[in-house]
């Protein structure tokens, strides 16, 4: 529920839900508790609280390491170091810290073709970080790759990632290549939601 609240733009509600999940039972399997902390970190980042986001992210890492032996419920098997790296890149994108976004990205590299949706997400996050860093060319290059993948997958949720990325292009909104990109995102969104 916290993840869904976050995806809908309700950061403070997501924080409350993630904290509630974490505090509900101190005997939670470490990866389950760690995932709650990871979602809380993402929500704090959306709320522009770098100290709380960093603290929760570090806590999530420690809990993931404690549960790395694979014990616990099978459904939490997705919560790996790779997942933390991907989400940490988003955390620092939301905090407008491109240097940290790039650092986290290099710790795990780009997801491969077996995780194509995750690859598109990471591309959109890196595109935002390049825009925050002032590199429009590299930003649009990655943004276009992300758009192509999300369009091919028919991912409406992917369009939400591109919406977040598009906000990072605001200072270049008059540039023809940015206008073209925004038009293409709008066309893709309409096609997917029709």
């Amino acid at each position: 529920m916290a993840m869904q609240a976050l995806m809908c733009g309700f950061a403070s509600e997501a924080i409350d839900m993630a904290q509630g999940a974490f505090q509900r039972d101190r005997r939670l399997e470490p990866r389950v508790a760690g995932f709650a902390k990871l979602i809380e970190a993402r929500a704090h980042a959306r709320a522009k609280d770098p100290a709380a986001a960093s603290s929760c992210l570090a806590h999530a890492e420690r809990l993931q390491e404690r549960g790395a032996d694979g014990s616990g419920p099978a459904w939490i098997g997705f919560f790996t170091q790779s997942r933390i790296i991907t989400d940490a890149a988003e955390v620092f994108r939301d905090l407008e810290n491109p240097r940290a976004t790039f650092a986290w990205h290099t710790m795990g590299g780009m997801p491969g073709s077996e995780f194509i949706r995750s690859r598109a997400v990471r591309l959109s996050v890196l595109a935002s970080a390049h825009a925050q860093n002032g590199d429009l060319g590299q930003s649009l290059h990655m943004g276009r790759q992300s758009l192509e993948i999300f369009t091919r997958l028919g991912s409406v949720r992917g369009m939400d990632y591109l919406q977040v990325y598009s906000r990072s292009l605001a200072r270049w909104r008059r540039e023809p290549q940015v206008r073209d990109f925004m038009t293409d995102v709008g066309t893709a969104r309409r096609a997917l939601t029709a």
Side-chain angles (χ1 to χ4, degrees), residues 70-90:
S71 62
W75 64 264
I76 197 68
F78 68 89
F79 185 59
T80 63
Q81 185 62 24
S82 293
R83 174 63 189 251
I84 290 174
I85 289 167
T86 296
D87 284 37
E90 284 190 58

Side-chain angles (χ1 to χ4, degrees), residues 82-103:
S82 293
R83 174 63 189 251
I84 290 174
I85 289 167
T86 296
D87 284 37
E90 284 190 58
V91 163
F92 289 103
R93 182 246 358 236
D94 291 343
L95 292 171
E96 298 180 21
N97 184 341
R99 179 178 288 156
T101 301
F102 297 140

Side-chain angles (χ1 to χ4, degrees), residues 14-84:
I15 291 167
D16 290 344
M17 287 182 214
Q19 288 173 343
F22 181 80
Q23 294 170 358
R24 186 181 132 233
D25 185 350
R26 291 294 181 182
R27 295 169 293 157
L28 282 175
E29 196 275 332
R31 290 179 301 162
V32 174
F35 186 61
K37 281 295 171 189
L38 183 63
I39 299 308
E40 185 182 349
R42 288 185 58 185
H44 282 300
R46 289 272 172 96
K48 304 297 186 209
D49 185 342
S54 294
S55 174
C56 289
L57 184 57
H59 199 168
E61 277 193 289
R62 289 190 302 273
L63 289 164
Q64 188 279 326
E65 288 170 4
R66 279 187 31 218
D69 64 358
S71 62
W75 64 264
I76 197 68
F78 68 89
F79 185 59
T80 63
Q81 185 62 24
S82 293
R83 174 63 189 251
I84 290 174

Side-chain angles (χ1 to χ4, degrees), residues 80 143 149 155:
T80 63
I149 294 170
S155 176

Side-chain angles (χ1 to χ4, degrees), residues 83-128:
R83 174 63 189 251
I84 290 174
I85 289 167
T86 296
D87 284 37
E90 284 190 58
V91 163
F92 289 103
R93 182 246 358 236
D94 291 343
L95 292 171
E96 298 180 21
N97 184 341
R99 179 178 288 156
T101 301
F102 297 140
W104 276 96
H105 167 67
T106 61
M107 291 184 352
M110 186 66 75
S113 59
E114 67 275 12
F115 299 105
I116 195 69
R117 186 182 164 282
S118 295
R119 183 178 186 82
V121 167
R122 182 81 68 88
L123 283 165
S124 73
V125 168
L126 291 171
S128 294

Side-chain angles (χ1 to χ4, degrees), residues 177-190:
Q177 67 266 35
V178 172
R179 286 197 316 259
D180 289 347
F181 178 79
M182 301 300 271
T183 298
D184 293 346
V185 169
T187 300
R189 180 181 284 281
R190 284 189 298 280

